[in-house]
């Protein structure tokens, strides 16, 4: 492929704006500079559509990483995930080659023996995922969340749906677990279509909730800022991604969105099991629980990478 290697090695922007001196910028100034640079790189190579998906992702990845050099290594894999939509053509009845039924059954046993702890994990994970802008965006755009009661109903439906997955085999057609998994995947695809048809201005307008009823909002903001100081802006890819043009980042639910939510669903049992009543559990128990969520991710269109 003529010229591809050169483009991958040197995706040079068409602007002279410099963001290397992030230490002397306010967060707003840095984001504006970053936006200017990214919108100077929106022109795709002429034969871009003929490249393989991997070549396209590599090209986009290198452009973004050129301007986000301070992102921690642990978060770098999230960059290509942000640019990769979920798989809309997944066949739920077809199991992946790596599927291990025995490990899945062990996870089911683990969940059944620690049911209350897992329910608590599900509730906490929803709150954690909303600390990311894109995680909260999908929840708001899905509708029926603009009052505490409606949000509570949405939480309850989501948790009940997960409990059905835990008790069943989502790949067996005709079962309740299969049906609930399919409903979830279809809801994700419907939201993706909604995002694709809307302009950036329409999306921003839809995300605004007039007069939200949340008396503790400012108190929460102060507490979070005091207890969890933010990293530097150029170390937070989820903040920078808002300014990437849609020629590079598609408007859709992507693999990063799904990975963050899945990570939240397993992180508490792994890091703080004693806080949610999980005692005398083994590494094999936790591994099987993570494996269970890997299976669910596959059925919901998440890439294996």
């Amino acid at each position: 492929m003529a010229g591809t290697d050169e483009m991958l090695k040197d995706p040079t922007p068409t602007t002279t704006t410099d963001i290397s001196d992030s230490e002397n910028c306010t967060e707003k100034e840095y984001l504006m500079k970053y936006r200017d640079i990214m919108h100077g790189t929106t022109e795709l190579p002429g034969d871009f559509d003929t490249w393989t998906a991997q070549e396209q992702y590599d090209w986009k990845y290198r452009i973004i990483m050129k301007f986000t050099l301070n992102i921690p290594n642990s978060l770098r894999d999230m960059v290509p995930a942000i640019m990769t939509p979920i798989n809309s053509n997944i066949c739920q009845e077809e199991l992946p080659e790596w599927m291990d039924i025995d490990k899945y059954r062990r996870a089911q046993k683990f969940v059944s023996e620690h049911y209350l702890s897992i329910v608590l994990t599900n509730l906490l994970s929803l709150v954690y995922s909303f600390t990311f802008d894109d995680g909260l965006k999908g929840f708001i755009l899905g509708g029926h969340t603009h009052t505490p009661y409606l949000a509570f109903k949405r939480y309850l439906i989501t948790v009940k749906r997960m409990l059905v997955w835990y008790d069943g085999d989502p790949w067996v057609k005709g079962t309740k677990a299969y049906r609930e998994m399919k409903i979830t995947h279809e809801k994700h695809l419907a939201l993706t279509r909604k995002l694709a048809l809307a302009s950036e201005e329409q999306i921003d307008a839809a995300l605004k909730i007039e007069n939200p009823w949340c008396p503790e909002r400012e108190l929460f903001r102060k507490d979070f800022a005091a207890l969890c100081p933010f990293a530097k802006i150029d170390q937070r890819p989820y903040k920078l991604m808002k300014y990437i043009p849609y020629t590079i980042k598609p408007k859709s639910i992507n693999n990063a969105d799904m990975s963050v939510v899945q990570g939240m669903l397993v992180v508490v049992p792994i890091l703080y099991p004693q806080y949610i009543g999980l005692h005398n559990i083994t590494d094999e128990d936790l591994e099987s629980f993570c494996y269970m969520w890997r299976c669910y991710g596959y059925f919901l269109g998440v890439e294996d990478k």
Side-chain angles (χ1 to χ4, degrees), residues 213-231:
W213 190 81
C214 185
E216 298 85 5
R217 182 171 183 268
E218 291 305 317
L219 179 62
F220 285 157
R221 287 168 61 91
K222 290 179 181 178
D223 282 351
F224 288 153
L227 296 174
C228 185
F230 290 123

Side-chain angles (χ1 to χ4, degrees), residues 21 28 74 79 108-109 113 147 152 202 261:
D21 189 20
K28 184 176 181 180
S74 59
V79 173
Q108 286 183 309
K109 182 174 182 293
E113 292 175 348
T147 70
F152 167 74
Q202 289 173 323
V261 174

Side-chain angles (χ1 to χ4, degrees), residues 158-210:
T158 300
V159 171
K160 288 174 66 176
R161 185 162 285 146
M162 291 178 184
L163 296 180
V164 171
W165 300 347
Y166 292 149
D167 289 337
D169 299 335
W171 60 89
V172 179
K173 194 170 184 177
T175 63
K176 191 173 181 180
Y178 179 95
R179 184 170 62 253
E180 293 294 342
M181 183 69 71
K182 190 173 184 63
I183 288 173
T184 301
H185 189 44
E186 288 175 347
K187 284 181 176 293
H188 291 166
L189 296 179
L191 180 56
T192 290
R193 290 191 292 269
K194 183 177 181 179
L195 288 168
L197 293 173
S199 67
E200 193 169 351
E201 292 74 20
Q202 289 173 323
I203 293 174
D204 288 341
L207 291 173
K208 293 179 181 177
I209 300 177
E210 296 296 334

Side-chain angles (χ1 to χ4, degrees), residues 238-257:
Y238 51 90
K239 292 288 285 186
L240 299 176
M241 292 305 140
K242 177 180 179 181
Y243 296 91
I244 296 178
Y246 289 124
T247 51
I248 295 179
K249 184 193 72 172
K251 289 187 293 183
S252 64
I253 295 179
N254 56 55
N255 275 255
D257 298 331

Side-chain angles (χ1 to χ4, degrees), residues 80-228:
I82 290 170
M83 300 181 296
T84 309
I86 57 174
N87 184 356
S88 60
N89 298 313
I90 194 73
C91 180
Q92 204 170 310
E93 300 99 290
E94 293 182 6
L95 298 180
E97 294 180 358
W98 45 261
M99 184 69 181
D100 184 335
I101 299 297
D102 290 337
K103 185 176 285 190
Y104 183 82
R105 295 288 180 245
R106 177 171 187 143
Q108 286 183 309
K109 182 174 182 293
F110 170 73
V111 171
S112 67
E113 292 175 348
H114 303 91
Y115 215 68
L116 182 59
S117 297
I118 299 304
V119 171
L120 182 59
T121 294
N122 291 343
L123 291 171
L124 290 173
S125 69
L126 292 172
V127 178
Y128 291 160
S129 65
F130 295 158
T131 63
F132 291 83
D133 290 350
D134 283 350
L136 187 57
K137 181 190 298 182
F139 192 75
I140 295 174
L141 291 175
H144 308 295
T145 57
H146 57 284
T147 70
Y149 179 66
L150 289 176
F152 167 74
K153 287 180 64 177
R154 180 92 175 268
Y155 298 149
L156 190 60
I157 290 171
T158 300
V159 171
K160 288 174 66 176
R161 185 162 285 146
M162 291 178 184
L163 296 180
V164 171
W165 300 347
Y166 292 149
D167 289 337
D169 299 335
W171 60 89
V172 179
K173 194 170 184 177
T175 63
K176 191 173 181 180
Y178 179 95
R179 184 170 62 253
E180 293 294 342
M181 183 69 71
K182 190 173 184 63
I183 288 173
T184 301
H185 189 44
E186 288 175 347
K187 284 181 176 293
H188 291 166
L189 296 179
L191 180 56
T192 290
R193 290 191 292 269
K194 183 177 181 179
L195 288 168
L197 293 173
S199 67
E200 193 169 351
E201 292 74 20
Q202 289 173 323
I203 293 174
D204 288 341
L207 291 173
K208 293 179 181 177
I209 300 177
E210 296 296 334
N211 303 316
W213 190 81
C214 185
E216 298 85 5
R217 182 171 183 268
E218 291 305 317
L219 179 62
F220 285 157
R221 287 168 61 91
K222 290 179 181 178
D223 282 351
F224 288 153
L227 296 174
C228 185

